[in-house]
Amino acid sequence: MNFRLLPLALLLLAQEAPAPLPSKGKGGPTGTFENESLKVGEQAREFRLVVPPGLDPAKPAPLIFVFHGRGDSKEWIRRYSGFEELAPKNGFIAVFPAGLEKSWDLRAVDENPDLKFFDAVFDHVTSRYNVDLRRVYLTGMSMGGYFSNLVAARRSERIAAIAPHSGGLGVLGFRGINAKRKYAAMIIHGDADRIVKVEEGRTSRDAYTREGHAVEYVEVKGMGHVWATREKITDRMWKFFLDHPMK
């Protein structure tokens, strides 16, 4: 190794990683808050919020939204995804929104109440806590994966990267993603999935690639409609997110 080259290498790395863009929230209580509530229109909406103890308000923190599948819940996905445990270890804020009747509205329209719910939670968390606005990420399982694609496409100015798991594009597969800005997408799917066929994941991969997004595709041989725990997918998602801030 040529140690004389190290300063130059470090300089190049520093240039590649954009400086944090703080939301300038002053900081609120830390810990796990199981049933945070916001009123969106006339509807009270709930979400689980995880803010690691010891989070320094002076240092902007990444923010990850984790969307559950249909019939699932914010309580279950926080367990099997592992993001609640990962948050304190890596210093990011995690949000687990709850869909009405354990479902998500997948219509690509501005009046979509779940898009408005996302906006409300985003505004609430970023105004209260100091979030790095270059590092806001989405993931979700099954229908939550579909919804991750929708939120990112419709709110691309706020999203750095996404990792939909066992989901698809839904209406975006017909209309095109057509995001205002490009974001990175890590797509995970099992080739033995009988609920959401693997072709949905492959179609997502091809559509994002065709429209110029950075894409990483993970197809797990023999896996059905379950979280890819054996593949340590949550850790892989976090690394993917770290490698893809908004530029």
Side-chain angles (χ1 to χ4, degrees):
M1 178 181 292
N2 188 340
F3 289 94
R4 295 180 180 179
L5 296 179
L6 282 178
L8 176 60
L10 292 173
L11 178 62
L12 290 174
L13 285 173
Q15 291 175 341
E16 290 175 0
L21 181 60
S23 67
K24 299 181 180 179
K26 300 302 181 182
T30 62
T32 298
F33 306 94
E34 297 181 3
N35 293 301
E36 293 287 277
S37 180
L38 288 174
K39 196 168 185 180
V40 182
E42 297 301 316
Q43 182 73 53
R45 301 296 301 267
E46 291 187 350
F47 59 98
R48 187 182 187 93
L49 177 65
V50 179
V51 184
L55 201 66
D56 186 351
K59 296 180 179 179
L63 171 62
I64 299 180
F65 283 78
V66 185
F67 298 105
H68 63 75
R70 185 170 186 171
D72 197 352
S73 68
K74 60 184 174 66
E75 287 80 18
W76 280 108
I77 195 168
R78 63 98 178 177
R79 295 186 183 190
Y80 65 73
S81 72
F83 274 105
E84 184 164 318
E85 294 178 1
L86 202 63
K89 296 177 183 177
N90 293 280
F92 63 81
I93 297 170
V95 176
F96 302 84
L100 293 175
E101 298 182 0
K102 298 184 177 181
S103 184
W104 298 107
D105 190 330
L106 300 180
R107 294 177 298 155
V109 293
D110 289 336
E111 60 268 24
N112 183 324
D114 285 337
L115 286 175
K116 293 180 180 179
F117 177 35
F118 166 79
D119 292 339
V121 176
F122 177 93
D123 291 342
H124 173 78
V125 175
T126 57
S127 63
R128 191 172 194 182
Y129 298 95
N130 192 12
V131 171
D132 184 353
L133 298 177
R134 296 191 192 278
R135 294 189 178 276
V136 178
Y137 306 109
L138 311 175
T139 185
M141 174 67 185
S142 191
M143 194 179 201
Y146 281 90
F147 191 59
S148 296
N149 283 312
L150 177 62
V151 173
R154 302 294 291 192
R155 300 292 186 266
S156 60
E157 69 280 5
R158 291 181 160 183
I159 306 302
I162 65 173
H165 192 310
S166 304
L169 290 175
V171 69
L172 302 177
F174 300 98
R175 295 185 179 181
I177 298 163
N178 299 320
K180 291 180 180 179
R181 59 165 298 279
K182 308 301 181 187
Y183 47 87
M186 180 183 188
I187 299 160
I188 306 99
H189 222 107
D191 70 357
D193 193 332
R194 296 183 179 181
I195 296 177
V196 180
K197 299 295 185 181
V198 69
E199 285 75 18
E200 294 278 355
R202 295 169 183 169
T203 296
S204 299
R205 172 199 62 195
D206 295 344
Y208 276 116
T209 301
R210 186 166 56 249
E211 295 193 27
H213 296 253
V215 176
E216 180 175 336
Y217 181 62
V218 181
E219 186 172 303
V220 184
K221 186 174 179 59
M223 188 180 78
H225 198 67
V226 295
W227 193 262
T229 304
R230 291 183 180 179
E231 286 67 33
K232 298 183 178 180
I233 202 65
T234 305
D235 290 326
R236 291 176 65 177
M237 285 181 184
W238 173 239
K239 183 181 184 306
F240 180 80
F241 290 157
L242 283 180
D243 290 342
H244 293 91
M246 185 184 292
K247 296 182 180 179

